[in-house]
Amino acid sequence: MIGTGPSRRAMLASGIAAGAAAMSGSDAVAQAAQAPRTVRVLCIDGGGMRGIVPATFIDALETMSGKPVTELFDLFVGSSTGALLALGLNVPDEKGKQKYSARDIIKLYDDCGPIIFHKERGLLGWVAGVFKPAYDPSGLEGLLAKYFGETTLAEAIRHVAVPAIHLEDMRMEIFTRRAAQSSADNNFSMRSLVRAATAAPTFFPAASISSSNGARLGTYLDAATSTNNPALIGLAEAGVVKANDRVVMVSLGTGNISKPIDAMRARQWGELGWVQAVFDLQNDAQSSYTENVLKDFLIDSKRDTFFRFQIGLRDMPVAMDETRKDHLDELKEITATQVKRQLPEINALLAKLTA
């Protein structure tokens, strides 16, 4: 839904303005002299193969506007499969233009799912998955090499932010184009960042990656374990410090699939009982909290816009590693139907994105 009206951003701006005393006089004056700006932010949730949902929505935006999505947004933020979309859409071609459309990314999900999520079937495969990651990452890594080549984060068309958890100290790290362009130590290949951002526990092994100059090395996990909806990261990375800045925030979900949990039964669950439900429960809870915070925060100025797109999948629970064509086609159909239902809101959103 689109929300506009009064928020807490003026309070944030006041606090930041108070801190300007620590700046030099010339810096403070220069900051105050900056004209109001519009910051267009696209944030994409994690969700494995359900990334086909936001990809289908973005395809609708590109079709309706007649523009590549990199001309509609200034900042892209993605968690887990959202990182694949955020970075994939920002790969430049030889002319510096958007190389892959959202439709190209949809095709990747359609065609390459069985390569990414390939494992032994039956009891043997299930038992193996108890003691080690369910999937060999070589299929994923091969596809990332094909789609991203040696393109680095510093080469992204627009500002990009991708979170991953640094395993050694359990610290979340945000990889940004800004940092990558400021220092070679912070510049990583896009394919290595997607591998790190999608290293979901139990699905894939943790990813060890190094910066392009070899100066930094770390092992990372998928940040969706704690931040499936990265919209708060998007707000922070937008660098909104003035009360008169205009924010257009678009947050894309990958389908709400958690079913109500029988409280009486859950009281008796142990580790095995919870393992099936805990990821979806955690992701949906974090996502709904983030959505509520953003609605509250971006309601103080009538210039602000917050749009959240999500579909309900309780009647069709689709696993993160779903690869069956009929299920993926149904996801696309459900998304297209929801786009039609929200067409007036989406047209209003596009008017703000292209103003």
Side-chain angles (χ1 to χ4, degrees):
M1 59 182 293
I2 293 181
T4 60
S7 141
R8 296 180 183 168
R9 211 180 64 223
M11 295 172 62
L12 173 66
S14 298
I16 294 175
M23 299 171 60
S24 69
S26 60
D27 286 342
V29 169
Q31 184 184 58
Q34 290 177 359
R37 29 167 220 167
T38 297
V39 184
R40 304 169 300 174
V41 186
L42 179 64
C43 299
I44 310 170
D45 288 10
M49 290 295 291
R50 298 198 308 272
I52 206 166
V53 172
T56 301
F57 178 87
I58 296 169
D59 178 51
L61 288 186
E62 290 187 325
T63 300
M64 293 167 67
S65 67
K67 298 176 180 290
V69 71
T70 49
E71 292 184 15
L72 299 177
F73 292 94
D74 307 298
L75 168 64
F76 292 71
V77 185
S79 186
S80 191
T81 198
L84 170 63
L85 278 159
L87 289 167
L89 293 167
N90 275 279
V91 174
D93 63 16
E94 62 280 358
K95 296 181 180 179
K97 301 295 184 180
Q98 184 177 322
K99 183 175 182 178
Y100 300 120
S101 67
R103 197 161 297 179
D104 292 326
I105 306 297
I106 292 171
K107 190 174 189 305
L108 186 154
Y109 282 110
D110 278 333
D111 296 346
C112 301
I115 299 174
I116 297 170
F117 295 107
H118 175 75
K119 67 176 179 179
E120 296 179 64
R121 298 295 179 183
L123 180 61
L124 183 60
W126 183 88
V127 171
V130 171
F131 298 101
K132 65 180 183 179
Y135 299 103
D136 181 335
S138 59
L140 172 61
E141 290 167 356
L143 287 169
L144 295 179
K146 174 184 176 182
Y147 274 81
F148 290 95
E150 296 305 317
T151 306
T152 67
L153 180 57
E155 298 174 82
I157 297 171
R158 291 290 194 174
H159 296 295
V160 179
V162 171
I165 296 176
H166 190 259
L167 188 59
E168 284 85 350
D169 58 11
M170 299 306 291
R171 170 180 54 83
M172 182 179 292
E173 185 168 346
I174 313 297
F175 297 91
T176 67
R177 189 189 75 164
R178 181 182 65 252
Q181 291 180 340
S182 68
S183 170
D185 290 356
N186 298 321
N187 193 22
F188 292 76
S189 68
M190 286 189 177
R191 62 180 173 133
S192 68
L193 289 180
V194 175
R195 174 67 179 88
T198 57
T202 76
F203 287 89
F204 293 109
S208 294
I209 64 173
S210 61
S211 58
S212 297
N213 64 0
R216 289 184 57 199
L217 174 69
T219 302
Y220 294 87
L221 289 175
D222 188 337
T225 52
S226 63
T227 313
N228 196 58
N229 179 339
L232 287 175
I233 295 173
L235 185 64
E237 288 298 322
V240 180
V241 297
K242 297 189 299 178
N244 58 349
D245 280 335
R246 177 175 179 260
V247 181
V248 180
M249 168 79 74
V250 177
S251 174
L252 304 181
T254 57
N256 186 328
I257 70 170
S258 287
K259 293 184 177 181
I261 292 175
D262 186 319
M264 295 303 293
R265 290 180 58 197
R267 290 174 61 185
Q268 307 301 319
W269 286 354
E271 291 183 14
L272 289 177
W274 276 107
V275 72
Q276 297 296 323
V278 69
F279 281 117
D280 289 334
L281 177 65
Q282 178 176 289
N283 289 346
D284 285 354
Q286 184 273 333
S287 185
S288 62
Y289 167 78
T290 298
E291 181 179 351
N292 290 336
V293 169
L294 265 295
K295 284 178 182 176
D296 186 39
F297 188 80
L298 292 177
I299 314 186
D300 224 9
S301 168
K302 292 182 178 179
R303 290 182 301 275
D304 292 338
T305 297
F306 176 72
F307 179 91
R308 172 71 172 170
F309 182 84
Q310 181 66 293
I311 62 174
L313 293 175
R314 288 187 177 181
D315 296 329
M316 183 196 168
V318 178
M320 290 173 56
D321 54 354
E322 178 61 72
T323 61
R324 287 170 292 185
K325 184 180 184 303
D326 57 333
H327 284 216
L328 297 180
D329 287 345
E330 190 166 356
L331 278 180
K332 289 183 283 187
E333 290 173 10
I334 293 171
T335 303
T337 298
Q338 187 66 20
V339 166
K340 290 178 182 178
R341 287 175 183 158
Q342 294 186 250
L343 204 53
E345 289 181 278
I346 294 171
N347 281 327
L349 174 66
L350 278 172
K352 294 183 178 183
L353 292 173
T354 57

